[in-house]
Each structure stands twice: as C-alpha cells, then as structure tokens.
Amino acid sequence: AQGGLFGNSPWIIIIYVVVIAALFYFMLYRPQKKKDKENEQEFERIYLQVNKFIHRKIFKKLYPIQPVEADNKIYDTCCHLEWVEQKHVIENPNLMLDNFLPAAIRNIKKVGLVKSPLHKIESFNDVIGLIKNTIMFSLNKSDLGMDDFVPVFLYAVIKAKPRTYASDLKYIELFLDGDLKSKQYGLILGVATMAKEALLNFDPNRLFGVSEEDFKKKFLFHLSLFLI
C-alpha cells in the first residue's frame, strides 16, 4: 500500500514531467532551434551575396564610367572655391567645425567609392549626423532645420571636392527604396540636392564678407592655377 502511495506521489509525477521536458528540450527543441538559427544565418549570408551581386551589376551597367557634365561642373566649382573659409559660408562664428570637417570630408569622398545606393546614402547620412552633433555641441541647439544643415553640408562638399557628386545623387534617387527615400533619408536627400544645385549655379552672394570684385579676383586666380 505504501509503495502504491509512493508511486502516486505528486513529486514523482513532477520529476517525470521535468525529465520528459528536459529530454524534449535537449534532444528536439534545442537542436532544432540551433538549426533554425544556422539556416537564418545562411539565408542572411546568401541574401547579402545576392544583393551585392545585383548592385555590382546595376552599378556596372548604369553608373557612368566617367564623370558626367554635372559632376565636372561641381568638381570645378569646388576647386575654384578652395580659398573659401568657414566664415564665408556659415554666418554664425560660434559654430566650431575643426573636429567635424575631416570626418565629413572622408564620408563625402566615401560616397563615390561604395556601389550600393544604400551605402552611398548612409555615408551622406553620417555627415548629417556629424553636423547635428556639432551644432548641438557648439550652439546648444536641438531644433534643427534645412537652414541649419545646408550651409555646413555645402562647406564640407566644397572642401571634399567629390568627383562624381551629381551621379551619386542620381544613382541614389533611381535605385534606393522609395520608403527609405521619403521617410528615413528624406532630409539628407533634400540637403544634398540643395548643395548640388548651389554648386551647379553658384551665386557669389551666398558668401559672407566677400565683395563681388574680391570674388572675381579670387575665383579667376584659382581658375588660372587650375588651368596650368
């Protein structure tokens, strides 16, 4: 009778359940979960390879082999404006760009090296992040708009002198996912496009503290150096 009572003890039943659960976990569930994770990693690896392959093909077929006319015009303008200083482009003298500028130039030049439209826009976006942090740190200002970003971004582009700026922007506009363009990266595309238009149709009146006569002298002087 005691054996019967012991055999029906709830603790024995609990132990049985725990053992069965442990066997199920270690023999079935855990290996399957590990296999699912491996399959997921393999799928991600294949997806990245396919994505990279597609972008290489798109880039090779559609991206211009040589800089187009707009690229050359922007590059030439940047070279002729090499003498421009921060005070000529950015009105607020309290904005400290010494630490910002080298990283911004690297990221803008990187845009012309990567092939994926997503990687290109991410490099531009890194510049926007740098501008945001710089303005917040220097001016203690958090509510930022296009008027805050464009002058600093334009100054960084002038100093970076990118060779394929217009082509890179067009490539992003054509092949970046629509939702990313309109939502996540809408601001950076707007800023980068405004900088492009400013350089394609550069107006000396954009510069602070430079008369039209001084601008012509400096512009022509750098043009002569560029043509030598």
Side-chain angles (χ1 to χ4, degrees):
Q2 288 180 352
L5 289 172
F6 183 77
N8 293 327
S9 170
W11 288 107
I12 296 298
I13 296 173
I14 291 172
I15 291 172
Y16 284 157
V17 171
V18 171
V19 170
I20 292 171
L23 288 172
F24 173 79
Y25 177 79
F26 285 105
M27 296 183 68
L28 296 175
Y29 178 76
R30 190 175 180 182
Q32 185 61 41
K33 189 174 181 181
K34 183 178 179 182
K35 186 176 180 181
D36 290 344
K37 187 175 182 180
E38 290 173 351
N39 289 338
E40 185 178 339
Q41 290 173 341
E42 179 66 13
F43 175 79
E44 180 70 16
R45 185 184 65 81
I46 293 172
Y47 170 78
L48 291 174
Q49 286 182 341
V50 171
N51 193 43
K52 190 175 180 180
F53 174 80
I54 291 172
H55 280 124
R56 276 204 310 266
K57 290 296 182 182
I58 292 175
F59 189 87
K60 187 175 180 180
K61 292 289 184 183
L62 301 175
Y63 195 84
I65 297 174
Q66 298 294 332
V68 299
E69 183 180 352
D71 293 325
N72 289 328
K73 188 172 182 181
I74 289 172
Y75 176 72
D76 291 348
T77 301
C78 290
C79 290
H80 302 334
L81 293 174
E82 194 172 5
W83 54 272
V84 166
E85 300 176 21
Q86 176 183 334
K87 63 182 180 181
H88 298 137
V89 183
I90 299 162
E91 191 172 11
N92 195 325
N94 296 320
L95 188 59
M96 297 179 291
L97 298 181
D98 291 344
N99 295 327
F100 152 82
L101 196 57
I105 290 173
R106 283 196 302 272
N107 278 291
I108 291 171
K109 288 185 174 182
K110 183 182 175 183
V111 175
L113 301 176
V114 294
K115 293 181 172 60
S116 163
L118 181 58
H119 291 155
K120 288 180 182 294
I121 195 65
E122 284 177 345
S123 295
F124 276 140
N125 197 52
D126 288 340
V127 180
I128 288 293
L130 289 167
I131 294 174
K132 183 178 180 180
N133 292 336
T134 302
I135 294 176
M136 290 175 65
F137 177 78
S138 300
L139 308 179
N140 195 25
K141 181 180 179 181
S142 57
D143 186 18
L144 306 178
M146 296 284 277
D147 291 341
D148 297 297
F149 287 109
V150 172
V152 186
F153 190 90
L154 176 62
Y155 180 63
V157 173
I158 290 172
K159 293 303 179 183
K161 298 191 286 291
R163 288 299 288 116
T164 54
Y165 187 83
S167 293
D168 288 323
L169 268 181
K170 188 65 177 179
Y171 189 70
I172 291 168
E173 291 169 2
L174 287 174
F175 298 108
L176 187 66
D177 181 80
D179 287 339
L180 290 176
K181 281 192 292 187
S182 61
K183 296 177 183 177
Q184 186 173 348
Y185 296 113
L187 172 65
I188 176 56
L189 277 174
V191 172
T193 301
M194 289 183 72
K196 180 191 78 172
E197 295 302 324
L199 290 168
L200 285 175
N201 307 284
F202 192 79
D203 182 2
N205 293 322
R206 292 189 66 99
L207 301 178
F208 300 107
V210 180
S211 66
E212 187 174 348
E213 185 179 351
D214 287 340
F215 175 80
K216 287 180 179 178
K217 287 180 180 178
K218 291 180 178 181
F219 194 91
L220 290 173
F221 174 72
H222 279 78
L223 178 60
S224 65
L225 292 178
F226 185 72
L227 294 174
I228 292 177

